Amino acid sequence: MHIELDLNQNDLEALLHHCQSFTPASGDSREDGRLADALQALTEALLEANASQ
């Protein structure tokens, strides 16, 4: 999947902060695991995109 975001630096940093600090706690361990994995993938993509600018 390819998703493109046009974020300014402040928005990028805010999104990264929330991705890195949020702990899923829905009570469904499978759903929490999927969300944690998705947040980790988003964090890595944001950091990589930011480094290449």
Side-chain angles (χ1 to χ4, degrees):
M1 176 185 298
H2 177 81
I3 299 172
E4 189 171 322
L5 300 173
D6 185 17
L7 299 172
N8 65 43
Q9 192 65 34
N10 289 336
D11 291 346
L12 172 85
E13 290 171 7
L15 184 55
L16 275 171
H17 170 75
H18 287 285
C19 286
Q20 294 168 331
S21 65
F22 181 76
T23 302
S26 70
D28 180 337
S29 61
R30 289 181 295 169
E31 182 67 19
D32 290 347
R34 285 190 291 269
L35 180 53
D37 290 346
L39 289 170
Q40 181 62 37
L42 179 56
T43 297
E44 291 170 7
L46 290 169
L47 290 170
E48 181 179 320
N50 193 45
S52 67
Q53 287 183 348

